[in-house]
Amino acid sequence: IIILLKINKMSKINKLGYKIAVLGVVVVLLWIGFFKFTPSEAAGIKPLVENHFLMSWLYKLLSVQVVSNIIGLFEIIVGIGLIWSLFKPQVGKIFGWAAVIIFCTTLSFLLTTPGINKIVDGVPITDFFVLKDIMALGISLMVVYNEAGLEEK
């Protein structure tokens, strides 16, 4: 009985941790997504987008601000979808994969953006803001595979 109580307590802690982690990703996506609509962020992401082999073509068709707005809108939609996945886990497959695409793309900037990786005082460094997406990628994969949902069975 004690083992069953410990398992049940751990299950509740795991569910709470999952919800907190997903909401953390949501906050990041919504906040940064809305920020993409500002001229400062549009200019800030330009070096990342223009050097990315899958995204650079966008600037041939659209302005820097419009590209940023589209990316921001995608981030906002995915953030809302991740909230929805907490109540309807089946949608987590769609929005979880969309988040995986966002965070894989962001992490790939570490390989495609000139000058993003440096050595300072003998220590290799990079854009640490991008590195947070390693955790977000993991959480997004958890959302994809949370088909059973968080409810008790």
Side-chain angles (χ1 to χ4, degrees):
I1 292 177
I2 293 173
I3 292 173
L4 291 176
L5 290 173
K6 286 183 179 182
I7 290 171
N8 189 35
K9 183 177 180 181
M10 191 61 181
S11 177
K12 288 180 180 180
I13 291 170
N14 284 341
K15 290 175 185 180
L16 177 62
Y18 174 83
K19 289 178 183 178
I20 291 170
V22 171
L23 290 174
V25 171
V26 166
V27 167
V28 168
L29 284 171
L30 293 178
W31 200 333
I32 293 172
F34 282 112
F35 191 47
K36 292 280 191 305
F37 287 85
T38 68
S40 298
E41 181 64 358
I45 67 168
K46 187 174 184 255
L48 303 172
V49 175
E50 71 184 355
N51 288 294
H52 197 277
F53 63 98
L54 293 176
M55 300 177 79
S56 60
W57 63 272
L58 290 168
Y59 289 134
K60 291 180 174 88
L61 302 175
L62 305 166
S63 72
V64 171
Q65 188 62 59
V66 171
V67 170
S68 187
N69 291 355
I70 291 168
I71 294 169
L73 182 62
F74 185 62
E75 291 170 338
I76 292 166
I77 290 168
V78 172
I80 292 168
L82 290 176
I83 293 171
W84 189 16
S85 78
L86 292 174
F87 302 99
K88 190 159 177 71
Q90 299 85 347
V91 304
K93 276 254 191 255
I94 297 164
F95 292 103
W97 279 119
V100 166
I101 290 168
I102 288 172
F103 298 120
C104 283
T105 302
T106 305
L107 287 167
S108 72
F109 292 145
L110 294 171
L111 302 173
T112 61
T113 306
I116 200 167
N117 300 304
K118 305 172 187 98
I119 295 185
V120 175
D121 296 329
V123 178
I125 65 162
T126 189
D127 184 341
F128 293 115
F129 183 73
V130 173
L131 286 182
K132 64 144 177 36
D133 289 351
I134 295 170
M135 293 172 284
L137 175 60
I139 294 164
S140 300
L141 287 169
M142 290 170 60
V143 172
V144 168
Y145 292 101
N146 185 39
E147 298 167 41
L150 298 172
E151 67 280 347
E152 293 291 329
K153 296 283 177 186

